[in-house]
């Protein structure tokens, strides 16, 4: 797991905070589907509604791909939030696009992968957010099982959990993220989104998100 550029990480975090795509609430935390209590909620889909931010993310994701993944032949978006970002990148690079479902359709062709690319083609996977990496890596496995050569993955934001790093390392998948939790916290404090006391709670959550309590 790598961060594309430190300056980019700070800028992306700043923009996501400004449009309220990243919400911070250590005193009244959010509940994740896993049951974890979290002081942060990140919804990068909101960036699609802001042309300036949308274009910035597109530019940086495209540059990250061109820097780290040579000879890319197709883009694969992870359903659902990775689809629009993936389409924008594929259009900019003028290459094919497909997307990967969380589970196969229960009717029709019962596809897991939607779109047309040829087995063996070099694919980069696009995600909006990486937490533990479970659903992201499942999409990678589905693509590999279908015969595609997965070069790696790019994402807008990651919480930077050790578990995610371990999961990606174990499966040998290179992950490049534009920004992360550690880059976001100083931006949030500097812009007044959180207090010094909030910062302590947010750092504590990052150390043990599965056991953290407000």
């Amino acid at each position: 797991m790598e961060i594309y550029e430190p300056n980019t990480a700070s800028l992306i975090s700043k923009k996501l905070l400004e449009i309220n795509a990243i919400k911070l609430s250590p005193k009244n935390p959010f509940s994740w589907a896993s049951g974890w209590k979290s002081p942060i909620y990140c919804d990068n889909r909101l960036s699609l509604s802001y042309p300036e931010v949308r274009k910035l993310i597109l530019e940086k994701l495209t540059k990250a791909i061109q820097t780290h993944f040579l000879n890319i032949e197709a883009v694969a978006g992870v359903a659902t939030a990775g689809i629009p970002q993936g389409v924008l990148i594929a259009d900019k690079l003028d290459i094919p696009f497909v997307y990967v479902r969380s589970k196969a359709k229960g009717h029709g062709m019962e596809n897991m992968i939607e779109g047309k690319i040829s087995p063996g083609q070099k694919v980069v996977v696009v995600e909006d957010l990486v937490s533990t990496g479970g659903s992201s890596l499942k999409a990678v496995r589905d693509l590999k099982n279908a015969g595609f050569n997965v070069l790696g993955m790019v994402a807008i934001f990651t919480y930077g959990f050790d578990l995610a790093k371990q999961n990606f390392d174990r499966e040998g998948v290179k992950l490049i993220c534009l920004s992360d939790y550690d880059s976001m916290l100083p931006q949030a404090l500097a812009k007044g989104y959180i207090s010094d006391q909030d910062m302590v709670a947010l750092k504590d959550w990052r150390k043990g998100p599965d056991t953290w309590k407000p």
Side-chain angles (χ1 to χ4, degrees):
M1 183 185 296
E2 301 178 38
I3 300 303
Y4 173 53
E5 294 174 338
N7 289 341
T8 295
S10 296
L11 177 59
I12 294 295
S13 288
K14 177 175 176 288
K15 294 299 183 181
L16 293 177
L17 285 163
E18 286 177 352
I19 65 173
N20 211 29
I22 291 179
K23 300 177 180 65
L24 299 170
S25 181
K27 295 181 179 65
N28 296 291
F30 306 96
S31 295
W32 285 5
S34 62
W36 290 5
K37 294 294 183 181
S38 171
I40 180 173
Y41 183 77
C42 183
D43 183 4
N44 293 324
R45 291 166 295 192
L46 283 175
S47 66
L48 298 167
S49 299
Y50 296 84
E52 177 191 353
V53 182
R54 185 178 68 224
K55 290 175 183 177
L56 173 65
I57 289 173
L58 171 61
E59 174 195 351
K60 297 301 184 180
L61 284 176
T62 303
K63 286 184 177 179
I65 288 173
Q66 292 173 322
T67 300
H68 290 275
F69 304 109
L70 302 178
N71 304 316
I72 177 178
E73 295 175 317
V75 173
V78 180
T80 58
I83 293 176
Q85 301 295 346
V87 169
L88 291 169
I89 294 168
D91 187 62
K92 189 174 181 66
L93 295 176
D94 196 26
I95 56 178
F97 171 80
V98 299
Y99 70 87
V100 187
R101 294 177 174 274
S102 58
K103 60 181 180 180
K105 287 173 62 178
H107 58 279
M109 298 298 292
E110 299 186 353
N111 293 335
M112 177 66 76
I113 300 170
E114 298 286 3
K116 178 62 177 177
I117 57 176
S118 303
Q121 280 190 294
K122 297 174 182 177
V123 178
V124 172
V125 183
V126 177
E127 263 284 25
D128 74 318
L129 174 69
V130 172
S131 52
T132 63
S135 59
S136 304
L137 288 169
K138 179 183 179 300
V140 170
R141 289 191 294 271
D142 290 336
L143 286 162
K144 288 182 175 180
N145 290 338
F148 304 121
N149 180 0
V150 179
L151 300 179
M153 179 181 296
V154 293
I156 299 172
F157 191 85
T158 178
Y159 297 117
F161 294 143
D162 290 339
L163 177 59
K165 296 176 183 177
Q166 293 165 9
N167 287 338
F168 276 88
D169 288 345
R170 184 176 62 250
E171 298 209 24
V173 177
K174 186 174 184 178
L175 171 63
I176 307 297
C177 298
L178 296 187
S179 190
D180 66 345
Y181 191 77
D182 290 339
S183 300
M184 177 274 299
L185 289 179
Q187 291 293 322
L189 183 62
K191 297 298 181 180
Y193 293 101
I194 56 173
S195 65
D196 290 329
Q197 185 177 359
D198 292 333
M199 178 69 89
V200 174
L202 288 161
K203 287 184 175 180
D204 285 344
W205 174 79
R206 177 64 184 75
K207 295 173 185 176
D210 56 334
T211 58
W212 179 83
K213 293 181 180 180

